[in-house]
């Protein structure tokens, strides 16, 4: 069976609703014995008798539905039923309610030559409401197929030619040809043709700063002082008996950030604003002191009764004194690395020398030791002898002394300089003692970070006295946190010049305080590392900072979140009302103890040196 239509269907939704229903007793069955081939619909629908058109009764109305088939050649829609379905039904249900609630059912079955059974049932009920609901549901077997084919045929000879001609100059002409071909082969062709002799010559110059880029080269860039060539005779015409051969330099790359004479991407300075630490002023301070001690190797808790830790600028390690609660704790801590936490701040210590004392009813076990930097000294490392056999920098010498120890070092506030071969030597000293000797020759000291196992070499006076007035202090304290205050004065001559010289190798230098007459000399300095102007400047500056009248101030402070333990060398500001006077921390100590009732008392003391001029 084929359905052909002579015009397009205007709506997207079918006006009929077909449902599959079971055939009951109160239905009319239409059975056709052969396929329908006529052009007239085989179904006629009547309402209220056999009158056409139907006569409306009261407020009701009738609907006539017709289906027509027309054969067309151009547009064809074919419905092919290729299977036999016993239980498939197609129903059209249109409910209208009338007064007598009659039901009209129409069942249509077509029997085609491929044995397809299609059943259609129509139910109408008419009521007072003037409403028409029409819906179609079409259910087809899976293998049913609907084919719609549209063919447009356009003559291949259709063609549109468009030509655009521009006249430039006498010798130049531009031809533009656009061709459109509609049909089986479609395309657009645009042709530009220039005719004539020599057209022109264009020169492009890129103007502006070059872009950032990586620049790589194999040009050898020797470090300063790596190779020194000296000739004691003039060049002659005879062949040189010395031939110098150099291996190829590896590819060296550096980043060019663009720009011209003025850098397009200037290097910004490090954002390192020094913000001083200053505890807040409160009416009262509530603190909950804590003190714990564990063995680092296995995190075993060690119960301690008291702890005392101290350090000064001349020490490269802290001194530690511990008192244990029992003999078992003292034995567990002997020669072990301990982690002591006081109010949240961590300190490393090695209990090296145990001791005990007994009295009537009292037994005390204690031990003294040093911080973790003691790993670099005897008896943990054997003494060494060292001489720089080649030209080395100060940082390189310190790195050689720390080789295979697991510790690292850096210079802070000190300009590195080169030390000639054989200028520095030490004998029968531990690595940390050798480094401390090198730092002492330059007027510097060692700060050890036990957590990261790192040594920092800094000047003994990170801020010299004559620059303290404008310097920003590292820590500022006030009366609210100072629990004890005392001061003493020491009288010393104020010098403004010092002479320095190297020992076996080196230079002779005169370091004078800027702006002074340079007429009051300090004691001369002779050291192995005075081999460079930078070395002489560092050592001479610290020597002049030690001279002059000094005010030694001793302060007792708590340990809080906004008042951490002080480090020797810090610039300390002491506030008195609106004024702040500054000095360098010379020594520091912290003490923590636990009473028999479990009360914890923690306090730190510092000594600040202030210059009086």
């Amino acid at each position: 069976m084929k359905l052909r239509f002579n015009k397009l269907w205007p709506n997207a939704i079918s006006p009929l609703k077909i449902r599959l229903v079971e055939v009951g007793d109160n239905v009319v069955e239409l059975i056709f014995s052969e396929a329908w081939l006529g052009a007239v619909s085989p179904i006629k629908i009547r309402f209220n008798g056999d009158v056409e058109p139907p006569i409306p009764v009261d407020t009701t109305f009738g609907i006539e539905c017709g289906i027509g088939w027309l054969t067309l050649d151009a547009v064809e829609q074919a419905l092919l039923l290729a299977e036999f379905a016993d239980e498939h039904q197609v129903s059209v249900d249109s409910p209208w309610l009338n007064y007598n609630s009659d039901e009209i059912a129409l069942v249509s079955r077509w029997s085609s030559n491929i044995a397809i059974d299609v059943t259609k049932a129509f139910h109408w009920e008419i009521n007072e409401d003037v409403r028409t609901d029409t819906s179609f549901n079409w259910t087809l077997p899976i293998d049913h197929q609907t084919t719609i084919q549209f063919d447009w045929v356009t003559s291949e000879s259709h063609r549109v030619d468009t030509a655009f001609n521009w006249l430039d100059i006498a010798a130049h002409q531009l031809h533009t040809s656009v061709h459109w071909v509609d049909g089986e082969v479609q395309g657009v062709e645009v042709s530009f043709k220039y005719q004539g002799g020599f057209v022109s010559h264009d020169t492009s110059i890129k103007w502006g700063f070059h872009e950032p880029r990586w620049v790589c080269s194999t040009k050898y860039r020797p470090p300063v002082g790596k190779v020194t060539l000296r000739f004691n005779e003039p060049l002659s015409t005879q062949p040189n008996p010395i031939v110098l051969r150099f291996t190829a330099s590896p590819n060296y790359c550096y980043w060019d950030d663009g720009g011209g004479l003025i850098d397009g991407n200037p290097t910004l300075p490090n954002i390192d604003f020094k913000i001083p630490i200053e505890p807040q002023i409160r009416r009262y301070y509530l603190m909950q002191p804590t003190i714990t001690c564990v063995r680092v190797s296995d995190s075993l808790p060690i119960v301690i009764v008291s702890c005392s830790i101290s350090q000064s600028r001349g020490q490269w390690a802290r001194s530690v004194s511990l008192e244990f609660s029992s003999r078992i704790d003292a034995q567990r801590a002997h020669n072990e690395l301990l982690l002591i936490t006081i109010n949240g701040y961590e300190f490393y210590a090695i209990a090296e020398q145990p001791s005990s004392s007994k009295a009537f009813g009292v037994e005390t076990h204690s031990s003294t030791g040093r911080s973790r930097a003691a790993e670099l000294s005897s008896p943990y490392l054997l003494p060494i002898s060292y001489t720089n056999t080649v030209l080395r920098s100060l940082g390189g010498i310190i790195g050689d002394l720390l080789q295979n120890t697991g510790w690292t070092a850096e210079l802070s506030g000190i300009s590195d300089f080169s030390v000639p071969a054989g200028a520095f030597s030490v004998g029968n000293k531990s690595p940390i003692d050798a480094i401390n000797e090198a730092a002492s020759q330059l007027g510097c000291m060692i700060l050890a970070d036990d957590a990261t196992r790192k040594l920092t070499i800094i000047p003994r006076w990170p801020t010299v006295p004559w620059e303290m007035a404008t310097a920003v202090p590292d820590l500022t304290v006030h009366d609210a946190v100072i629990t004890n205050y005392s001061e003493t004065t020491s009288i010393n001559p104020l010098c403004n010049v010092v002479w320095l010289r190297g020992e076996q190798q080196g230079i002779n230098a005169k370091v004078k305080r800027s702006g002074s007459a340079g007429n009051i000399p300090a004691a001369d300095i002779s050291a192995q590392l005075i081999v460079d102007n930078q070395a002489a400047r560092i050592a001479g500056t610290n020597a002049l900072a030690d001279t002059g009248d000094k005010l030694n101030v001793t302060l007792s402070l708590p340990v809080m979140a906004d008042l951490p333990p002080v480090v020797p060398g810090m610039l300390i500001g002491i506030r008195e009302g609106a004024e702040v006077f500054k000095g360098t921390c010379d020594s520091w100590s912290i003490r923590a103890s636990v009473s028999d009732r479990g009360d914890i008392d923690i306090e730190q003391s510092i000594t600040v040196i202030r210059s009086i001029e």
Side-chain angles (χ1 to χ4, degrees):
M1 181 175 62
K2 296 184 179 179
L3 300 180
R4 294 183 175 88
F5 305 92
N6 57 358
K7 59 177 63 177
L8 296 177
W9 182 259
N11 297 327
I13 301 176
S14 176
L16 298 180
K17 181 179 181 181
I18 300 176
R19 295 189 179 91
L20 294 176
V21 299
E22 295 182 357
V23 180
D25 297 334
N26 298 325
V27 297
V28 178
E29 296 184 1
L30 298 180
I31 301 174
F32 301 91
S33 59
E34 59 185 12
W36 179 258
L37 299 177
V40 182
S41 173
I43 300 174
K44 293 183 180 180
I45 302 175
R46 299 289 188 268
F47 299 91
N48 293 335
D50 197 13
V51 181
E52 183 180 7
I55 298 175
V57 178
D58 295 333
T59 59
T60 63
F61 67 94
I63 296 177
E64 181 179 358
C65 178
I67 301 175
W69 287 270
L70 181 62
T71 303
L72 292 178
D73 296 334
V75 180
E76 183 179 49
Q77 179 176 1
L79 175 63
L80 179 60
L81 304 178
E83 283 186 354
F84 175 75
D86 293 335
E87 297 180 357
H88 289 189
Q89 292 185 0
V90 180
S91 64
V92 179
D93 188 5
S94 301
W96 281 283
L97 180 63
N98 59 6
Y99 291 110
N100 51 12
S101 301
D102 293 336
E103 178 178 343
I104 301 175
L106 175 60
V107 178
S108 300
R109 295 182 179 176
W110 287 277
S111 177
S112 62
N113 53 0
I114 56 176
I116 297 178
D117 188 3
V118 181
T119 302
K120 296 185 179 180
F122 299 88
H123 302 274
W124 290 281
E125 294 183 358
I126 303 174
N127 57 5
E128 295 179 358
D129 297 334
V130 181
R131 179 174 176 178
T132 301
D133 296 331
T134 304
S135 64
F136 287 159
N137 293 334
W138 291 343
T139 303
L140 299 177
I142 299 177
D143 294 336
H144 290 184
Q145 183 177 2
T146 302
T147 304
I148 300 177
Q149 182 177 0
F150 301 90
D151 295 329
W152 284 278
V153 180
T154 306
S155 174
E156 298 182 357
S157 60
H158 289 184
R159 178 171 177 177
V160 179
D161 298 334
T162 303
F164 300 90
N165 297 326
W166 285 280
L167 182 59
D168 191 0
I169 55 177
H172 302 279
Q173 188 173 6
L174 173 66
H175 297 279
T176 302
S177 178
V178 181
H179 302 280
W180 288 322
V181 179
D182 193 3
E184 182 178 357
V185 180
Q186 299 179 0
V188 178
E189 297 180 359
V190 181
S191 176
F192 296 90
K193 297 181 180 179
Y194 295 89
Q195 296 180 355
F198 177 76
V199 179
S200 63
H201 178 73
D202 295 333
T203 301
S204 178
I205 300 176
K206 186 176 181 180
W207 176 259
F209 302 129
H210 64 276
E211 299 178 353
R213 58 181 179 174
W214 281 100
V215 179
C216 298
S217 174
T218 56
K219 184 179 179 181
Y220 179 65
R221 294 172 174 83
V224 178
K226 192 68 175 180
V227 178
T228 302
L229 299 179
R230 293 184 176 91
F231 302 94
N232 54 4
E233 295 181 359
L235 177 65
S236 63
T237 58
Q238 297 180 359
N240 196 336
I242 300 176
V243 178
L244 301 179
R245 293 184 176 88
F246 301 94
T247 58
S249 175
N251 194 22
Y252 173 80
C253 298
Y254 67 93
W255 173 251
D256 182 8
D257 55 2
L261 297 178
I262 300 176
D263 195 354
N265 299 279
T267 302
L268 298 178
N270 294 329
I271 302 178
D272 189 14
F273 299 105
K274 190 174 182 180
I275 301 177
I277 301 173
E278 183 172 359
Q280 298 180 1
I281 300 178
R282 303 182 179 95
R283 293 182 179 179
Y284 53 86
Y285 295 86
L286 295 178
M287 293 177 291
Q288 186 176 359
T290 59
I291 177 173
T292 60
C293 179
V294 297
R295 193 164 61 184
V296 176
S297 59
D298 54 1
S299 299
L300 179 66
I302 305 296
V303 182
I304 59 177
V305 176
S306 65
C307 174
S308 177
I309 306 173
S310 62
Q311 185 182 13
S312 63
R313 289 190 296 171
Q315 292 180 282
W316 46 262
R318 298 187 181 100
S319 299
V320 182
S321 177
L322 301 172
E323 182 179 350
F324 303 97
S325 64
S326 64
R327 178 179 56 86
I328 302 300
D329 290 310
Q331 292 177 352
R332 291 175 177 176
H334 179 57
N335 277 339
E336 293 288 343
L337 180 63
L338 305 178
L339 176 60
I340 304 170
T341 304
I342 301 176
N343 282 5
Y345 298 98
E346 296 180 347
F347 303 92
Y348 288 85
I350 301 177
E352 297 177 303
Q353 298 179 358
S355 62
S356 62
S357 62
K358 297 180 181 180
F360 183 76
V362 178
E363 184 177 355
T364 304
H365 299 272
S366 59
S367 178
T368 59
R370 295 171 292 178
S371 61
R372 194 177 187 176
E375 296 176 348
L376 299 174
S377 65
S378 179
Y380 307 101
L381 292 179
L382 296 176
I384 61 173
S385 298
Y386 174 82
T387 302
N388 62 319
T389 57
V390 296
L391 179 70
R392 297 288 285 170
S393 65
L394 177 62
I397 291 176
I398 297 175
D400 293 342
L401 295 173
L402 292 177
Q403 190 174 7
N404 300 324
T405 62
W407 286 70
T408 59
E410 70 172 359
L411 305 179
S412 178
I414 302 174
S415 300
D416 203 358
F417 56 89
S418 299
V419 181
F424 177 77
S425 63
V426 292
N428 197 27
K429 289 187 176 182
S430 63
I432 189 66
D433 289 329
I435 296 174
N436 187 47
E437 180 177 340
S440 300
Q441 293 181 11
L442 301 175
C444 299
M445 62 180 181
I446 300 175
L447 292 181
D449 188 348
D450 295 335
T452 59
R453 304 180 72 185
K454 181 179 180 181
L455 302 179
T456 304
I457 315 300
I458 65 172
R460 294 184 70 251
W461 292 86
T463 304
V464 292
W466 51 87
E467 294 180 356
M468 288 184 180
T470 58
V472 179
D474 299 311
L475 174 64
T476 302
V477 295
H478 46 75
D479 295 340
V481 296
I482 299 176
T483 59
N484 190 10
Y485 178 93
S486 62
E487 63 181 26
T488 58
T489 303
S490 60
I491 306 300
N492 301 291
L494 179 62
C495 302
N496 51 23
V497 66
V498 60
W499 291 90
L500 305 97
R501 65 177 182 273
E503 291 183 353
Q504 301 174 357
Q505 302 184 47
I507 62 172
N508 294 327
K510 174 185 177 182
V511 177
K512 183 178 72 72
R513 180 174 170 179
S514 177
S516 65
N519 55 351
I520 306 174
D524 294 349
I525 298 176
S526 176
Q528 297 177 354
L529 292 179
I530 308 300
V531 294
D532 189 88
N533 291 334
Q534 294 294 337
R537 180 178 291 108
I538 297 171
T541 301
N542 286 276
L544 294 179
D546 288 332
T547 63
D549 297 341
K550 305 295 182 184
L551 180 66
N552 299 322
V553 180
T554 302
L555 304 174
S556 296
L557 307 169
V559 179
M560 305 182 298
D562 52 355
L563 185 54
V566 182
V567 178
M570 272 188 172
L571 182 61
I572 306 298
I574 302 174
R575 186 180 299 277
E576 291 182 350
E579 297 182 358
V580 177
F581 69 88
K582 305 164 190 175
T584 300
C585 178
D586 182 60
S587 62
W588 162 86
S589 65
I590 187 171
R591 182 187 57 83
S593 61
V594 182
S595 65
D596 296 337
R597 298 183 303 174
D599 298 333
I600 302 177
D601 183 20
I602 297 175
E603 188 179 49
Q604 64 173 331
S605 299
I606 61 174
T607 301
V608 179
I609 299 179
R610 177 189 178 189
S611 294
I612 304 174
E613 298 182 1

